Amino acid sequence: MFPWGLSCLSVLGAAGTALLCAGLLLCLAQYLWTLRWKLSRDRTSALPLPKGSMGWPFFGETLHWLVQGSSFHSSRRERYGTVFKTHLLGRPVIRVSGAENVRTILLGEHRLVRSQWPKSAHILLGSHTLLSAFGEPHRRRRKVLARVFSRTALEHYVPRLQEALRREVRSWCSARGPVAVYQAAKALTFRLAARILLGLRLDEVRCAELARTFEQLVENLFSLPLDVPFSGLRKGIQARDQLHKYLEEAIAEKLQKIQAEPRDAFNLIIHSARELGHELSVQELKESVVELLFAAFFTTASASTSLVLLLLQNPAAIAKIQQELAVQGLERACTCTPGASGPGPDCGCEPDLSLAVLGRLRYVDCVVKEVLRLLPPVSGGYRTALRTFELDGYQIPKGWSVMYSIRDTHETAAVYRSPPEGFDPERFSAAREDAPGTSGRFHYIPFGGGARSCLGQELAQAVLQLLAVELVRTARWELATSAFPAMQTVPIVHPVDGLRLLFHPLAPPASGNELHL
Ligand code: HEM
């Protein structure tokens, strides 16, 4: 009995000592970690580092971020302010929000900061992309791509976009059960970008196959830079190689017919580069195409889904769109009714919307802007500090990552008369003083700003306006689930269940001015 109790005590004693040692070691590691980051401040600057915590040794605050999701940033913003430091995914990061701070970052591109993407994204998208270009090469590349998004080019895309969107909404109405809107929007965005923007000839089966391959590429863009079997990067490389193989054939075909073909984005890129004295290689073309698909894909699909969701939650906005369409004589999509009793998705009616007509639909424009304010698809952008500079009284040391936050900036903008968390499209109307155009445009940045602002902004807005019009005058929709889904913000804003809805065709109005809700 006695020796047993003695050995028990000695085991407990040893365990206690081990625990104590481990605790001391952890404290020491924590102390050294904090000290390391304190010492890494730029001593040539008298300014302090921003407030915030660098978390645990090695992991930083990555685990906290993964567990807490979007509340991670809001809780720290409340505690430390609009410029705070943290340590995520192996790097020191300074998170920045608020119009004035974001303005400094966005207008400081190439001078104070440069855009920063993970190594895996560079490997998968290639070196001939906007994303990896910096300084003069970046400006030249933007110039080549600018033609693709000129007003003349957009005029050319709009009728075909309208036809495709009309067909899509009609097919949702003809579906026998619920439609998973986010998944449908992703497939739709890929089709629009590949067929209409890039003019690729794809039948339904090929298109669906390429969309899946493309999704595999995009899903692995942010992975560890390890090219080993079953790794994310390996899967991404396989997807990229399949896409490039298909594109090589498509490019060869297109290059043969380039004079005769309509001026789609593909041809515009080639012509524009030639005019600027540069003949693009097939590799450059392939990478540009994949980059444009990537930039358009998740963003537009996310915004389209948010539009459908927010309209469903705000029937008053649907009624106002219907009134605006009636005033403009646009309330009838076409004379045929989609659904089981009517013709299929291909109704054959002529498109009736152009950029000029969309420009007159002021309320629709406000709705689209409000959707992008409330649920911005891109939550922010990463930069690297090129030199130490001042921001809001703090030093941003050279080499640190800087993340400007679109979501936080929208959420905290104090320029609006109605609360920022509410859905109020009229905050963007010309009649309201709180329109961001008059109070500082960096309060409203769904498309970023400065030298790296979104090239596809007008195109994306046109797609969303067309979708809003086609939806409201063709369908009524309701939840197929018992409650609205929660929203997930990583990698991009979307409903957790994909948003399952039932769509019903609206009966064509008996007279020109009759409205249907
Ligand atoms: C609702 C849809 C969209 C949203 C919310 C959006 C948002 C953004 C944002 C925030 C940036 C800047 C990122 C940064 O600062 O690092 C950006 C860049 C870019 N976007 Fe978009 N985008 C959308 C659709 C599109 C479309 C349809 C295209 C083209 C087909 C496109 C092409 C680009 C390109 C090429 C860039 C990179 C510009 C550069 O680095 O110079 N975007 N987008």
Side-chain angles (χ1 to χ4, degrees):
M1 186 73 192
F2 188 62
W4 168 244
L6 197 68
S7 69
C8 239
L9 274 179
S10 59
V11 168
L12 277 177
T17 316
L19 267 178
L20 191 69
C21 288
L24 282 173
L25 267 179
L26 271 179
C27 286
L28 182 67
Q30 181 70 49
Y31 172 76
L32 290 175
W33 177 253
T34 312
L35 187 69
R36 182 218 183 291
W37 294 113
K38 263 192 193 145
L39 293 180
S40 73
R41 68 180 289 275
D42 185 340
R43 267 169 261 171
T44 60
S45 161
L47 297 168
L49 282 170
K51 291 181 197 153
S53 158
M54 301 308 271
W56 300 337
F58 183 67
F59 294 106
E61 293 200 293
T62 308
L63 297 178
H64 308 67
W65 174 59
L66 290 175
V67 172
Q68 292 174 17
S70 59
S71 70
F72 171 85
H73 294 296
S74 49
S75 63
R76 274 145 188 84
R77 190 185 67 221
E78 276 157 28
R79 205 177 316 155
Y80 305 121
T82 50
V83 180
F84 66 85
K85 67 174 185 298
T86 176
H87 194 280
L88 297 175
L89 300 170
R91 283 188 70 103
V93 181
I94 292 180
R95 179 140 169 143
V96 174
S97 58
E100 272 313 307
N101 297 328
V102 165
R103 182 176 193 276
T104 307
I105 302 301
L106 291 178
L107 299 186
E109 184 71 34
H110 304 319
R111 189 171 46 86
L112 300 178
V113 293
R114 65 166 295 172
S115 93
Q116 176 202 313
W117 287 82
K119 202 167 169 208
S120 52
H122 286 284
I123 297 172
L124 293 177
L125 292 176
S127 57
H128 302 102
T129 48
L130 268 178
L131 165 155
S132 51
F134 169 63
E136 194 43 40
H138 174 254
R139 273 188 278 271
R140 266 204 311 275
R141 250 173 227 153
R142 270 185 81 100
K143 222 168 163 188
V144 169
L145 288 177
R147 282 270 198 92
V148 172
F149 303 104
S150 67
R151 197 167 167 91
T152 323
L154 290 186
E155 283 289 7
H156 178 76
Y157 309 138
V158 163
R160 297 168 65 212
L161 287 171
Q162 190 197 341
E163 276 174 340
L165 286 163
R166 179 182 282 175
R167 201 175 312 123
E168 183 73 16
V169 173
R170 294 172 72 87
S171 80
W172 293 353
C173 291
S174 320
R176 287 187 190 280
V179 174
V181 177
Y182 183 53
Q183 280 78 352
K186 280 194 283 184
L188 169 69
T189 309
F190 185 82
R191 273 203 307 278
L192 294 181
R195 288 194 187 147
I196 298 170
L197 190 64
L198 298 162
L200 300 176
R201 289 174 215 288
L202 297 168
D203 58 52
E204 276 304 323
V205 179
R206 191 83 175 110
C207 195
E209 200 183 300
L210 279 179
R212 272 195 302 278
T213 312
F214 180 73
E215 211 169 330
Q216 186 180 323
L217 171 87
V218 178
E219 274 167 4
N220 292 298
L221 269 186
F222 300 88
S223 45
L224 286 175
L226 288 176
D227 182 10
V228 292
F230 308 112
S231 68
L233 183 62
R234 177 65 64 84
K235 285 187 207 150
I237 291 175
Q238 284 163 349
R240 179 201 64 191
D241 291 348
Q242 278 176 41
L243 278 173
H244 278 198
K245 190 168 174 298
Y246 165 77
L247 283 172
E248 255 162 50
E249 291 159 21
I251 289 171
E253 198 184 312
K254 283 190 82 74
L255 285 177
Q256 277 176 0
K257 300 181 190 151
I258 189 140
Q259 299 303 340
E261 293 264 308
R263 304 214 100 197
D264 56 45
F266 211 117
N267 294 357
L268 286 172
I269 296 175
I270 296 172
H271 279 291
S272 168
R274 274 186 193 157
E275 277 171 31
L276 293 167
H278 180 58
E279 196 67 35
L280 292 171
S281 66
V282 172
Q283 185 64 22
E284 282 175 298
L285 275 171
K286 284 189 297 192
E287 290 182 6
S288 298
V289 166
V290 173
E291 181 178 38
L292 282 187
L293 284 173
F294 158 63
F297 182 64
F298 271 127
T299 50
T300 315
S302 159
S304 306
T305 309
S306 300
L307 174 74
V308 178
L309 172 70
L310 288 170
L311 283 178
L312 177 61
Q313 289 172 333
N314 296 278
I318 298 186
K320 281 194 183 154
I321 295 179
Q322 285 173 329
Q323 278 161 15
E324 183 168 62
L325 294 177
V327 169
Q328 298 290 335
L330 294 167
E331 69 275 39
R332 288 164 68 105
C334 46
T335 44
C336 34
T337 314
S341 55
D346 287 306
C347 65
C349 293
E350 286 295 311
D352 58 350
L353 300 172
S354 62
L355 278 187
V357 174
L358 288 180
R360 291 201 293 273
L361 300 177
R362 295 287 160 80
Y363 185 73
V364 173
D365 180 49
C366 291
V367 167
V368 167
K369 286 194 172 121
E370 181 65 344
V371 169
L372 294 171
R373 186 193 67 83
L374 207 53
L375 294 173
V378 179
S379 63
Y382 277 91
R383 303 289 188 265
T384 303
L386 291 170
R387 58 183 174 84
T388 301
F389 61 95
E390 193 219 315
L391 193 66
D392 206 16
Y394 297 106
Q395 65 161 271
I396 309 296
K398 180 179 175 182
W400 281 42
S401 296
V402 178
M403 198 257 182
Y404 79 89
S405 172
I406 295 176
R407 192 170 312 128
D408 291 6
T409 303
H410 286 187
E411 274 173 15
T412 53
V415 297
Y416 302 117
R417 266 194 262 155
S418 59
E421 60 278 10
F423 182 80
D424 176 15
E426 264 140 354
R427 70 173 87 238
F428 290 102
S429 68
R432 286 263 287 266
E433 278 175 17
D434 59 0
T438 57
S439 324
R441 64 196 169 93
F442 287 89
H443 289 290
Y444 180 71
I445 43 165
F447 295 102
R452 289 207 177 255
S453 63
C454 177
L455 272 172
Q457 172 168 351
E458 276 85 20
L459 173 65
Q461 278 171 320
V463 169
L464 294 170
Q465 289 168 351
L466 291 168
L467 177 62
V469 173
E470 287 304 331
L471 264 173
V472 162
R473 63 185 185 174
T474 312
R476 117 186 126 67
W477 56 107
E478 61 182 324
L479 273 182
T481 47
S482 55
F484 282 107
M487 298 302 277
Q488 193 171 315
T489 51
V490 179
I492 204 155
V493 170
H494 66 277
V496 279
D497 69 351
L499 188 61
R500 297 172 59 74
L501 299 181
L502 290 164
F503 287 83
H504 311 283
L506 289 179
S511 79
N513 290 327
E514 202 172 317
L515 299 180
H516 290 261
L517 271 173

